[in-house]
Amino acid sequence: MAADCIFCSIVDGSIPSRTVYEDSETLAFLDANPLAPGHTLVIPREHYARLDDLDASLAGSVLETLHELVEPVESAVEADGSTVAFNNGPAAGQEIDHVHGHIIPRFDGDGGGPIHAVAGSPPELEESELDSIAESITDSHDGE
Ligand code: 5GP
Ligand code: ZN
């Protein structure tokens, strides 16, 4: 539990939420300022700031809950699809530093954009730069 964390307060019940799912490790509730009807947030009960702070098991549990809820969320509001995403870190627009995945129902012709719309100005990268980035990622993950 982190002091002054709204989502920790939702977990402990001191701030109310429209909870739609809970299990021993995760919780899901409606977003208070929805981008679409049915906009749902999935969080780990324990406080971690970023997705990469979770261990693999807890990350798996969060993904399981997202996976479990996509269809019920979409069908509750008769959506045609959904955008499922994390704002990971302040640079990516994360405002609440308790990791959370968004399920945002989407509707044909809703005027919203794809995930590709999040980048300000996409870079033009040389083949050698792409090779070097790919190599760096490959070298730095633990392979598990
Ligand atoms: P972020 O920008 O950090 O990825 O998203 C935070 C989300 O939390 C926003 O969509 C915002 O509407 C939602 N939110 C902020 N405060 C509360 C709250 O007290 N209750 C609920 N249910 N959602 C909240
Ligand atoms: Zn928290």
Side-chain angles (χ1 to χ4, degrees):
M1 166 108 192
D4 300 329
C5 173
I6 292 170
F7 289 175
C8 283
S9 298
I10 286 176
V11 171
D12 78 13
S14 56
I15 290 182
S17 69
R18 288 190 172 82
T19 296
V20 298
Y21 176 91
E22 54 186 317
D23 61 29
S24 60
E25 292 183 305
T26 69
L27 187 72
F29 49 88
L30 296 187
D31 194 294
N33 302 292
L35 294 175
H39 185 169
T40 297
L41 302 174
V42 174
I43 65 169
R45 287 180 178 276
E46 230 178 299
H47 183 93
Y48 293 95
R50 292 174 54 133
L51 188 58
D52 36 313
D53 294 330
L54 306 185
D55 66 23
S57 169
L58 186 53
S61 298
V62 169
L63 186 59
E64 275 182 33
T65 299
L66 285 163
H67 173 259
E68 176 80 19
L69 290 181
V70 164
E71 196 281 328
V73 167
E74 287 187 12
S75 62
V77 296
E78 297 181 25
D80 300 305
S82 52
T83 297
V84 181
F86 292 77
N87 291 324
N88 198 34
Q94 183 180 357
E95 291 183 353
I96 297 195
D97 79 338
H98 184 134
V99 61
H100 50 280
H102 294 256
I103 303 173
I104 304 168
R106 300 296 304 271
F107 301 87
D108 292 338
D110 66 13
I115 280 191
H116 295 78
V118 301
S121 45
E124 286 179 25
L125 297 170
E126 305 288 337
E127 293 290 322
S128 61
E129 292 173 291
L130 292 167
D131 288 343
S132 153
I133 292 165
E135 194 178 317
S136 174
I137 295 169
T138 304
D139 289 349
S140 67
H141 73 67
D142 58 17
E144 290 175 4

